[in-house]
Amino acid sequence: MTKENYLEILLNFNLEEKIADVMPFGNGHINDTLKVTTAAGEDKYVLQRINHHIFTNVDMLQNNIGIVTSHIRRKLEEGGGKDIDRRVLTFLPAGSGKSYYFDGESYWRVCLMIPNSKSLEEVTPALSYETGKAFGDFQAMLADIPEGTLGETIPNFHNMGFRLEQLSDAVKNDAVGRYASVSDIVNEINLRAEKMLIQERLYKEGKLIKRINHCDTKVNNILFDCETNNPLCVIDLDTVMPGFVLSDIGDFIRTGANTGAEDDPDLDKVNVNIEIFKAYTTGYMETAKSFLTPLEISLLPYGGRLLTYMQTVRFLADYINGDTYYKIHFPEHNLQRTKAQFKLLQSLEEHAGEMDDFMKQWL
């Protein structure tokens, strides 16, 4: 699309300022994100094209985001918070009154840019602590939203039973004849399956509840103050939806506490960084302890094993299916991802006792 196309789309949001430029922004992989600069030279807005192939119910998606941002803003106001406009995202209505604009092909939304903010990529113990505190605070502010208020923007996203069914179907169909070469890994997956369905069983027994989760707890989904490096605002709210609390801490452990890359070809580099785990958990528990049950607290390290196991299953199923879901950069990419995730799972299993013991200080 051209700059003129973007400017025409922005007219549907009744922006007060004259717009001078629209440029690609950030490194997101799902939505197209653009920075909007005013004639005065201020980077003031963010324009996004919503990927409606992944988020198929845009009304639900935007309704979820509206509920979450309004709820957080109200909590900040009630707590006498300062600089509130930098601590929660603000989405602008389109001329139709909805929080998005549909041009006949694509869905668009606009939010205010958080001034004097930055995202960070490097994972250190100090940054992990701040990230844990930010996501813990985020969940704490949303903990009193009644179950059933938000919808699932990606159904079964962190449903372990569903992911195992997908793998089983992939094995049965064996669409491109790859199963025989990975049957040993499939066997390892199946040996662990019963242990990885704990949260579903506890939910059915009434011992575990569903909470509002972010479901993508990476360091770069926090905006930090440019001067103080303090966390300001949780962003990328598309996957905020009901689920088990283990998802969020589990996803950070899987991504942030991995000493290697998600697709590392050198498996010797792939292990859990215990210091990162401890730093994130310490920050997270500063605020999350206010709403977590003792059972949830004791299960948090298991969340790391669960999400790593789940991602192993997803990469493996896609490999067996012939690479139909994840983008690959070479023919065996999904298999390499599978092996790297499985190696991380084994490392997490080896350190399970140490990680479980660490949680006892909050019980």
Side-chain angles (χ1 to χ4, degrees):
M1 295 185 70
T2 66
K3 173 183 170 182
E4 287 68 29
N5 294 141
Y6 293 130
L7 292 175
E8 186 174 344
I9 289 164
L10 286 166
L11 290 175
N12 292 279
F13 289 90
N14 300 319
L15 306 183
E16 295 179 0
E17 302 90 345
K18 184 177 180 181
I19 303 304
D21 205 0
V22 183
M23 298 180 63
F25 182 61
N27 57 4
H29 299 301
I30 296 178
N31 300 315
D32 296 327
T33 305
L34 303 113
K35 176 175 63 176
V36 180
T37 304
T38 68
E42 181 184 8
D43 296 335
K44 186 166 184 181
Y45 304 104
V46 175
L47 171 67
Q48 279 192 320
R49 174 162 45 192
I50 300 167
N51 188 333
H52 63 277
H53 300 293
I54 292 178
F55 303 106
T56 57
N57 189 334
V58 175
D59 273 322
M60 177 201 290
L61 171 72
Q62 291 301 107
N63 183 62
N64 278 9
I65 291 174
I67 291 171
V68 166
T69 53
S70 297
H71 198 82
I72 291 174
R73 182 174 292 275
R74 184 165 61 252
K75 288 292 181 72
L76 293 171
E77 291 171 348
E78 290 172 354
K82 298 179 180 179
D83 217 7
I84 290 176
D85 286 338
R86 297 178 70 218
R87 296 181 61 193
V88 60
L89 292 177
T90 301
F91 288 85
L92 305 182
S96 64
K98 293 186 175 182
S99 59
Y100 63 86
Y101 166 69
F102 181 56
D103 66 6
E105 293 183 1
S106 300
Y107 295 84
W108 302 87
R109 65 187 174 200
V110 171
C111 72
L112 294 178
M113 185 162 303
I114 306 294
N116 198 31
S117 68
K118 61 183 178 181
S119 63
L120 300 170
E121 297 287 344
E122 184 181 2
V123 181
T124 64
L127 184 57
S128 297
Y129 168 80
E130 295 293 346
T131 302
K133 189 163 61 173
F135 279 120
D137 194 41
F138 178 80
Q139 282 191 317
M141 285 191 286
L142 301 176
D144 58 346
I145 293 180
E147 186 172 339
T149 303
L150 302 188
E152 289 187 64
T153 56
I154 305 179
N156 295 310
F157 188 50
H158 283 168
N159 182 330
M160 192 66 252
F162 174 74
R163 297 304 183 187
L164 285 169
E165 287 178 11
Q166 287 184 314
L167 177 60
S168 178
D169 290 342
V171 168
K172 289 175 184 175
N173 296 329
D174 197 15
V176 292
R178 288 177 169 177
Y179 168 63
S181 66
V182 294
S183 60
D184 56 336
I185 306 178
V186 173
N187 289 337
E188 290 286 352
I189 293 295
N190 289 336
L191 286 172
R192 293 165 169 80
E194 191 68 19
K195 292 181 179 179
M196 293 300 171
L197 294 168
I198 291 174
Q199 59 181 2
E200 286 81 4
R201 289 198 297 273
L202 291 172
Y203 180 68
K204 289 179 181 178
E205 294 169 4
K207 297 177 182 177
L208 204 60
I209 65 172
K210 289 189 176 181
R211 300 188 182 278
I212 306 303
N213 297 316
H214 185 276
C215 295
D216 194 12
T217 48
K218 296 180 178 63
V219 168
N220 59 13
N221 280 332
I222 304 286
L223 291 181
F224 295 83
D225 186 275
C226 286
E227 297 173 5
T228 66
N229 285 333
N230 291 331
L232 286 173
C233 180
V234 173
I235 61 172
D236 198 359
L237 305 179
D238 292 334
T239 56
V240 176
M241 55 184 163
F244 301 109
V245 73
L246 310 183
S247 289
D248 276 7
I249 192 166
D251 205 31
F252 181 86
I253 293 170
R254 184 186 75 80
T255 57
N258 187 352
T259 58
E262 185 177 68
D263 59 353
D264 210 311
D266 185 352
L267 299 184
D268 290 336
K269 292 182 179 178
V270 179
N271 291 288
V272 60
N273 185 323
I274 292 296
E275 294 310 308
I276 295 293
F277 160 74
K278 290 181 177 179
Y280 181 90
T281 304
T282 299
Y284 178 75
M285 289 302 297
E286 280 193 14
T287 45
K289 193 177 187 304
S290 65
F291 67 88
L292 293 177
T293 67
L295 177 60
E296 287 173 318
I297 293 171
S298 67
L299 286 173
L300 290 181
Y302 165 80
R305 302 193 290 277
L306 173 65
L307 268 291
T308 304
Y309 174 85
M310 186 181 297
Q311 198 57 54
T312 305
V313 169
R314 295 183 67 188
F315 284 145
L316 182 57
D318 198 33
Y319 177 73
I320 296 171
N321 282 330
D323 310 309
T324 59
Y325 184 83
Y326 292 105
K327 291 181 181 179
I328 59 170
H329 301 295
F330 51 89
E332 301 290 289
H333 198 178
N334 271 322
L335 179 58
Q336 185 168 300
R337 288 163 166 158
T338 299
K339 291 179 177 179
Q341 289 295 286
F342 184 64
K343 174 59 177 4
L344 177 60
L345 174 63
Q346 290 174 310
S347 179
L348 287 164
E349 290 171 342
E350 291 169 4
H351 290 87
E354 180 182 358
M355 296 168 77
D356 289 344
D357 286 343
F358 184 73
M359 300 309 304
K360 290 179 181 177
Q361 62 187 293
W362 290 287
L363 293 173

